[in-house]
Amino acid sequence: MAASGRLDAKLTGANPIDVLIEFPKGASLYAPETLKTIADVHATVESRSRRRQRLVARKPCAAGLRKKAGATDVATLKQYVSVIPEHLVRRFISADQDAVLVSGRVPDLDSSEILPVVDKLDKALDKVARRASGLRG
């Protein structure tokens, strides 16, 4: 409960930044390249935070569980996702598993201050997109 309160306090007055990653037809959510791309997008959003851009990122279920639980095998990832309530999974993973959402927050700033943050993030994500063959972000 205390952790939830700290998170709420940190995000109060924050603006959302969402990155939608769409997989090519037939790509698997649990394929190594797909999971790597999700992790790379999350790391990029998170790195903006370390560069004093003050972004706070939320991981999609599979990528977050992979990192937090130390689970690297697909069976364990699928098991974790299967026990999370469906309505929560849908916040990050599309029903047909052909897209995921990586979300971040930037503190409530004047629009002239938010735009440079978003521009820098876009440029960094372009690099990730070029490395990910067939994925659209």
Side-chain angles (χ1 to χ4, degrees):
M1 226 27 194
S4 178
R6 286 192 304 271
L7 182 60
D8 286 344
K10 191 174 197 175
L11 296 178
T12 297
N15 295 305
I17 294 181
D18 296 321
V19 180
L20 177 66
I21 306 169
E22 297 174 298
F23 312 135
K25 187 171 176 97
S28 169
L29 169 65
Y30 297 100
E33 182 179 306
T34 304
L35 291 173
K36 180 178 180 347
T37 299
I38 295 167
D40 288 351
V41 168
H42 179 267
T44 300
V45 172
E46 189 176 56
S47 74
R48 300 291 105 184
S49 172
R50 288 193 295 272
R51 292 185 181 146
R52 302 185 192 281
Q53 299 292 336
R54 300 184 304 189
L55 280 171
V56 178
R58 297 185 320 196
K59 294 175 178 66
C61 297
L65 290 170
R66 181 178 193 182
K67 184 175 180 180
K68 293 286 187 194
T72 57
D73 65 287
V74 172
T76 302
L77 293 173
K78 286 181 178 181
Q79 181 182 5
Y80 280 123
V81 171
S82 74
V83 298
I84 298 171
E86 182 80 10
H87 71 281
L88 296 177
V89 173
R90 291 300 151 250
R91 291 181 181 182
F92 302 102
I93 302 172
S94 66
D96 51 7
Q97 297 188 346
D98 67 349
V100 297
L101 185 68
V102 176
S103 295
R105 299 282 184 264
V106 63
D108 197 14
L109 301 170
D110 183 79
S111 61
S112 65
E113 295 175 285
I114 291 175
L115 188 56
V117 171
V118 173
D119 287 343
K120 288 177 184 177
L121 181 60
D122 277 343
K123 287 178 184 172
L125 289 171
D126 283 344
K127 293 176 186 175
V128 174
R130 284 192 297 271
R131 289 191 305 260
S133 62
L135 298 181
R136 298 186 317 261

